[in-house]
Amino acid sequence: MTASDGPRAMSTPAPATSQRPDWAPCRHGYDASCLGIHLPGRTACLAHVDPTDRADYLARLRPGDHLDHRGTPFTESLLQSLLQPLWDPGTRRHTVGSGRFDRATFTGNADFNVAAFYGPVWFNGATFTGEAGFTAATFNEPVWFDKATFTGAASFTAATFTSVAGFMATIFDDTAQFKGATFTTAPSFGPLVCRGQVDISSAVFEKPVTLEIAAREVNCVRTQWKSTADLRLRYATVDVSDAVLSSPVKVAAHSLLFTAAGEAVDESMLAKSNAGVRVTSLRGVDAAHLVLTDIDLSDCLFSGAVHLDQLSLEGLCTFARTPTGIRRRPKMWPYCWTARRTLAEEHHWRAKEAGPANPEPPRGWNARPSHRGPVPRPEDLAATYRQLRKAFEDHKNEPGAADFYYGEMEMRRHDQTGTSGAERGLLWAYWLLSGYGLRALRALSWLLATMLLTVVLLMLFGLPAQRTAQHTTGTLTNGHAISLSTTPLVPQGAVPGPLRDRFNWRRVERATRTAVNSVVFRSAGQGLTTSGTYIEMASRLAEPILLLLAVLAVRGRIKR
């Protein structure tokens, strides 16, 4: 019988849900505990039946036959002897109808590679102690691996699932490979637990699907989501590079334990790890359909993604932070970075820019690992910051957008090719005076320093030694009218007297009043020397600008 003839008829009972098997176990083995179902007309399972009866059973098998070996303990050789008669030379596959392997045990490598299952298949509660190979296997009907345990690597690379694929409460003690697999109809995937990596790179999900995965790594490189998807993850480090998103895809950190059939899934193998989720790369992704919820983005690469301005960030999404504390570079005064959210790429760029005179990366900035490709240029980072800033602004998060505006301006200030020298000079001044209009304390500090300088200059050169009053003269004409003439105050000459006479409390008060009045564009209201007049004019121009920058910085942090 060939695969084209279709599978032979066979009743396929629903999988057992209780701990006791719903079949008569063979009870053979060293401790008489074998749960293997009896071969038809025999009183033992395939593993423990008489060798003559086993040979007779295997000789009757043909491609497309149904198999029922629930609870059977398979060795590597026994499994190969079972699958060998099912080889179809026409399709060059092991062709199986329905398959029942509930609670079966596979010792050694379980090789189901290039097998074709034309009926429903159950591996519920099965245990694979070696490598489990389902590479290029085809499942034309539903397949279940619920509560199965894989203690070795499991490979479903290039497998095809045309119907439901159940991995509920499945445990992978090593890795789970689904690279290049196709899921035609898979409304749910998991929950499954994996100690190592779950690789769904280049896999294709054609229908809406919910994935629940607890693993150390989840590889989604070049995964194709042709419909909506909801990735609920725990403990995972996720790479989404070059994924194709045709519909909204949500990647979220699941705060609660996964449950299956009302019971919590055992995650003890991952208990020592942080249950949070980290995304390491969005390169090549169209972020217009991507939603990230409660994700750690402190090591994420954004360069190369498109439509980042449409990226949706929900919940608590964290980014890398600037170094904290006081820093000092060679031949420079100590300085301190202001706290803000940054991209991992800015860390990489600043670490790279250490230079030959200081080959070690600045303390607190993380260098880029060599396997993650070249470091983006400042002009590229400026564009990335600009798009993320717009994403925050479009979601009405103006304070959150402020840090990305700061990062954008920083990269423009350091851009030697795309930004002209004059523009860079203006950006340097903007940064120095107020942190691009975002550092109120810096602007207020400069304002106080400017006012103090104004006070000192006025005391030295601006205030005359003695106050000069206005002089008014009058003439009585014909005894009936009075003609008055007032001589206005004019700037006086240089301040007379020794230097020590220019510093006293009276002159301090007069100079301070003049400096404070100049902040709000009010006239000093008192006579000044010629130098004092120009000092006041300069302060009336500079100090209100600094006050405005401070107000702008405060508004940028509280605006909604």
Side-chain angles (χ1 to χ4, degrees), residues 68-186:
D68 188 355
H69 296 287
R70 287 170 283 176
T72 302
F74 284 94
T75 62
E76 189 172 339
S77 59
L78 181 60
L79 179 60
Q80 290 303 313
S81 63
L82 174 64
L83 295 178
Q84 186 59 39
L86 303 176
W87 178 260
D88 184 355
T91 60
R92 301 186 64 82
R93 287 176 174 270
H94 297 293
T95 306
V96 185
S98 296
R100 296 301 303 271
F101 298 95
D102 305 81
R103 300 179 68 176
T105 301
F106 298 88
T107 304
N109 295 337
D111 187 357
F112 288 92
N113 296 326
V114 302
F117 297 89
Y118 285 90
V121 185
W122 289 268
F123 286 93
N124 292 340
T127 300
F128 298 83
T129 61
E131 294 185 4
F134 291 87
T135 300
T138 300
F139 300 91
N140 294 284
E141 294 291 336
V143 56
W144 290 275
F145 288 87
D146 297 347
K147 296 186 178 181
T149 301
F150 297 81
T151 60
S155 176
F156 293 84
T157 302
T160 300
F161 301 86
T162 60
S163 188
V164 176
F167 290 87
M168 186 172 62
T170 303
I171 305 296
F172 295 89
D173 199 43
D174 194 343
T175 59
Q177 298 284 335
F178 295 89
K179 186 175 182 179
T182 301
F183 297 85
T184 302
T185 304

Side-chain angles (χ1 to χ4, degrees), residues 432-434 439-452 546 550:
L432 185 63
L433 293 177
S434 65
R439 301 294 181 257
L441 182 60
R442 189 181 305 181
L444 289 174
S445 299
W446 277 108
L447 175 61
L448 293 177
T450 305
M451 293 177 65
L452 179 61
L546 293 173

